[in-house]
Amino acid sequence: MNYQQIIRNVYSDILQKENKGKVPDYIPEIACIDESKFGVNFTDLDLNTFGCGDFEEKFSIQSISKVFALSFVYEKLGEKLWERVDVEPSGNAFNSLIQLEADHGIPRNPFINAGALVICDILLEISENPKEELLHFIRDLSEDHQIFFNEKVASSEMENSFRNAAMCNFMKSFGNIKNQPDAVIELYCHLCSIEMTCKQLSNSFLYLANGGKKPSSNKQFLSYSKAKRINAILLTCGFYDESGEFSFLVGLPGKSGVGGGIVAILPQKYCIAVWSPRLNEKGNSYRGMKFLEEFTTQTGESIF
Ligand code: GLU
């Protein structure tokens, strides 16, 4: 399979088509991004890697970082984690409050905001320096020390975190947040502010394509069973309430973020990251979805 050729062809094809969607305006630091940015990077388990366009430019990975936080906490806490967060698709927007009441403060899954806030609360409980430990974990996974929080994005989001604050307080009223909501939100906003390139992302997610183990070092970050389960949640919950559509069109587990990034994984084969800031109305990168749909169509490979 000549992945490189297929990626080049699909990239130039998508580039010529109209770029639709909007950049999110609720995080001012992200609203001013250049909307024409478009990058793709592919890395396989033999560590062949190549990219197109803006694949070496850093962007705000936003919700993609929820996968790293989940991996870190799941490895430390084990199956007890699922007492505080469920594994069902929400069928609602990522920042929706309505299900929390009916579900007694237990978020539907770790990738909606409420779920990630619970993961951050657990991080505060199990770690002395959660920000540093998390960054260390991500740098280890990426084998790259040039990964940082963007303090401006974190503060910009903290100043506009009214919905996240509402969710956090609401879950605290059910006893599912143990720390002070402000501390949880501060950690959550830092998690969202992490910046990475498509190249760093496609390399760092290889552990999920390889049963929890980084192929370069053979270091086991997660057990096979935990990696399998995270991939399952990515498939069913990785794209807000468009997860069914992504699975239908692309056929790979993955995760998107409102910074315009998408990471997708073909287990036992590769990981691919795409970045294009304009989002469709469900909050997923318009070009990112188009690119991956065409990519799996042309390769004829998916998990199905
Ligand atoms: N920082 C964003 C928020 O909490 C993350 C959203 C996302 O990427 O899904 O609204």
Side-chain angles (χ1 to χ4, degrees):
M1 178 83 64
N2 192 340
Y3 290 114
Q4 190 158 7
Q5 193 57 49
I6 295 174
I7 287 171
R8 280 212 191 101
N9 292 346
V10 178
Y11 183 90
S12 61
D13 198 42
I14 302 276
L15 202 55
Q16 280 158 27
K17 294 194 175 129
E18 192 190 352
N19 188 10
K20 295 191 189 156
K22 288 203 309 196
V23 294
D25 52 11
Y26 75 103
I27 306 172
E29 275 295 322
I30 290 185
C32 54
I33 196 93
D34 177 352
E35 300 184 3
S36 67
K37 294 287 176 190
F38 186 25
V40 178
N41 199 89
F42 170 100
T43 311
D44 70 14
L45 290 192
D46 296 325
L47 307 177
N48 299 305
T49 185
F50 48 85
C52 272
D54 302 307
F55 68 102
E56 286 182 303
E57 188 164 330
K58 286 196 175 179
F59 62 94
S60 193
I61 69 168
Q62 291 292 316
S63 273
I64 296 173
S65 64
K66 291 173 181 165
V67 186
F68 296 133
L70 171 65
S71 301
F72 183 81
V73 165
Y74 190 19
E75 187 51 24
K76 291 218 181 304
L77 216 67
E79 305 309 316
K80 261 173 78 70
L81 170 63
W82 309 119
E83 291 168 14
R84 293 185 57 187
V85 56
D86 209 343
V87 294
E88 292 298 337
S90 72
N92 273 298
F94 63 95
N95 55 6
S96 165
L97 280 142
I98 52 177
Q99 277 168 342
L100 282 175
E101 170 99 71
D103 294 342
H104 308 287
I106 305 290
R108 281 284 165 110
N109 66 66
F111 296 144
I112 51 172
N113 285 16
L117 287 164
V118 168
I119 299 287
C120 286
D121 186 53
I122 298 172
L123 257 166
L124 284 166
E125 286 174 74
I126 63 175
S127 155
E128 284 198 0
N129 291 305
K131 275 194 252 173
E132 288 71 16
E133 283 190 41
L134 199 60
L135 206 52
H136 184 77
F137 178 72
I138 299 171
R139 287 173 173 173
D140 246 19
L141 273 177
S142 316
E143 294 151 323
D144 190 333
H145 284 261
Q146 296 307 308
I147 295 173
F148 304 96
F149 300 114
N150 180 326
E151 292 294 339
K152 270 173 110 180
V153 171
S155 327
S156 157
E157 195 166 349
M158 271 186 275
E159 284 160 22
N160 293 282
S161 245
F162 306 110
R163 287 190 77 88
N164 289 328
M167 276 177 239
C168 207
N169 280 287
F170 199 39
M171 290 190 289
K172 193 162 177 69
S173 77
F174 286 102
N176 199 20
I177 292 288
K178 315 288 178 196
N179 295 278
Q180 283 310 312
D182 283 354
V184 177
I185 288 163
E186 205 249 351
L187 178 56
Y188 172 83
C189 291
H190 276 84
L191 179 65
C192 291
S193 80
I194 289 170
E195 293 184 329
M196 289 172 77
T197 67
C198 289
K199 190 172 181 182
Q200 287 171 326
L201 279 171
S202 75
N203 180 38
S204 61
F205 270 76
L206 283 180
Y207 72 112
L208 289 177
N210 194 41
K213 197 197 290 181
K214 271 311 288 266
S216 45
S217 59
N218 273 336
K219 184 168 172 186
Q220 193 85 41
F221 281 87
L222 279 179
S223 68
Y224 169 79
S225 156
K226 289 189 175 109
K228 177 194 77 179
R229 288 178 175 185
I230 291 182
N231 280 326
I233 309 171
L234 287 171
L235 185 75
T236 52
C237 311
F239 294 84
Y240 315 118
D241 56 336
E242 203 172 30
S243 301
E245 183 83 358
F246 187 84
S247 178
F248 182 78
L249 296 174
V250 178
L252 299 176
K255 183 75 198 86
S256 61
V258 295
I262 298 182
V263 180
I265 296 145
L266 182 57
Q268 310 311 327
K269 288 231 159 143
Y270 66 73
C271 178
I272 186 163
V274 189
W275 172 49
S276 169
R278 289 177 76 166
L279 310 180
N280 67 19
E281 65 274 14
K282 295 287 172 80
N284 294 309
S285 168
Y286 174 80
R287 277 191 161 160
M289 295 242 333
K290 289 274 175 236
F291 177 90
L292 290 167
E293 178 186 357
E294 196 49 37
F295 175 66
T296 53
T297 303
Q298 292 202 16
T299 58
E301 289 180 337
S302 78
I303 63 162
F304 303 109

